[in-house]
Amino acid sequence: MASTETTGAQGAVPLRKAPTGDADVKDVHDMSGLEAGLDALETVTVGRTPVGQVLLKRVLPPVTAIVVVLAVWQIAVSAGFSDPTKLPSPHAVWQELADRWNAGDLFSIIWTSVQRGLLGFLAALAIGTPLGLVVARVPFVRAAIGPILSGLQSLPSVAWVPAAVIWLGIEDSAMYAVILLGAVPSIANGLVSGIDQVPPLYLRAGRVIGATGLRGAWHILLPAALPGYVAGLKQGWAFSWRSLMAAELIASSPDLGVGLGRYLENMREGSDMAGVFLGILLILFVGIAIDQIFFSPLERWVLRSRGLNSRSQ
């Protein structure tokens, strides 16, 4: 039979007609192809990126940029465009790096600042995350301190150094206070921005399944706001590092040790331009290294998890 029927209390209900003709078979094939195409669009192909492609896309561009900068720098020095006491040669900076290595204090200088920066950033993370969540979800709190957070984010961190030194003395606690005042507003505002972009449908769906209060914040809000939150974390680290360098440049005490900021200031006081350039380059190197090791992989993972970026990129 071309079709079948079922009879119940409500009468005959026609069932779906079985495909018998060429047109019906073609429709079924078209639907199957459409479903296969949609499945293919939703499928994320994960494969190992060839080493050559990684070198070409990720290693070669920064190496080329570094070579070009060094070449232009050396040409400017060789051509006498600037006084050598103001613009040292790349070789002079390299010699200063070798001297610090031979003296055995290079890693000590770097680690002093990196340790402070990471500890201060983790403290800012622990404070800024719940603060941003409360500001985003409680209208009264948002109206009260939301503009203050935005103002603190635009305030230069170096402005807090004199006050922190007076309040806490020339100690590590003053350094951490400056880091917190610089990083917490950025982390909190990043989370607020991410939560503001969460579709209300997600929150209603969470309430339906019982994800309210802290459970809703943990399972619904934070995952949905992750892109904005990660952007706030990156900016928070940048503010942490800049705040720390400002504090180390200004505050000086034997109890604080010698970090990158203090090393830079010591070289400035001794009019050692090779040391000044080395300090600048080391500060830049640490900032880039932390970003590439921690935040860039995290950002790529967030984008890939939302289908916004491929593994090969």
Side-chain angles (χ1 to χ4, degrees), residues 8-237:
Q10 300 299 325
V13 179
L15 296 179
R16 185 177 179 179
K17 186 176 181 181
T20 55
D22 293 340
D24 292 335
V25 173
K26 182 178 180 181
D27 291 341
V28 171
H29 289 167
D30 290 343
M31 289 299 297
S32 299
L34 178 60
E35 292 176 358
L38 293 175
D39 291 340
L41 287 175
E42 295 177 354
T43 302
V44 178
T45 302
V46 178
R48 183 179 297 275
T49 305
V51 176
Q53 188 175 357
V54 172
L55 294 176
L56 183 62
K57 290 186 175 182
R58 297 184 182 178
V59 178
L60 184 59
V63 170
T64 302
I66 292 173
V67 171
V68 171
V69 170
L70 289 176
V72 173
W73 183 2
Q74 183 60 52
I75 291 173
V77 173
S78 301
F81 292 149
S82 179
D83 187 346
T85 60
K86 296 181 180 179
L87 181 63
S89 66
H91 180 267
V93 177
W94 177 262
Q95 186 60 48
E96 176 65 21
L97 176 64
D99 292 342
R100 296 273 63 81
W101 174 274
N102 294 330
D105 59 357
L106 178 62
F107 285 107
S108 174
I109 293 172
I110 296 174
W111 177 246
T112 298
S113 294
V114 171
Q115 182 183 29
R116 285 176 182 154
L118 292 178
L119 289 177
F121 174 76
L122 291 176
L125 179 64
I127 297 173
T129 299
L131 178 61
L133 189 61
V134 171
V135 171
R137 300 302 296 163
V138 181
F140 177 80
V141 176
R142 183 167 191 161
I145 67 174
I148 298 176
L149 286 177
S150 299
L152 289 175
Q153 187 174 358
S154 62
L155 180 68
S157 302
V158 68
W160 289 110
V161 177
V165 169
I166 294 174
W167 291 336
L168 302 172
I170 306 179
E171 299 179 359
D172 282 334
S173 56
M175 304 288 181
Y176 293 128
V178 174
I179 293 174
L180 291 176
L181 290 168
V184 167
S186 297
I187 296 175
N189 282 330
L191 182 55
V192 170
S193 177
I195 291 176
D196 286 345
Q197 298 176 33
V198 175
L201 180 62
Y202 290 6
L203 304 179
R204 290 197 294 268
R207 286 193 293 268
V208 169
I209 63 177
T212 58
L214 292 178
R215 291 182 61 190
W218 180 256
H219 294 287
I220 304 297
L221 276 180
L222 289 179
L226 202 54
Y229 184 43
V230 171
L233 293 181
K234 291 184 65 174
Q235 191 175 43
W237 162 250

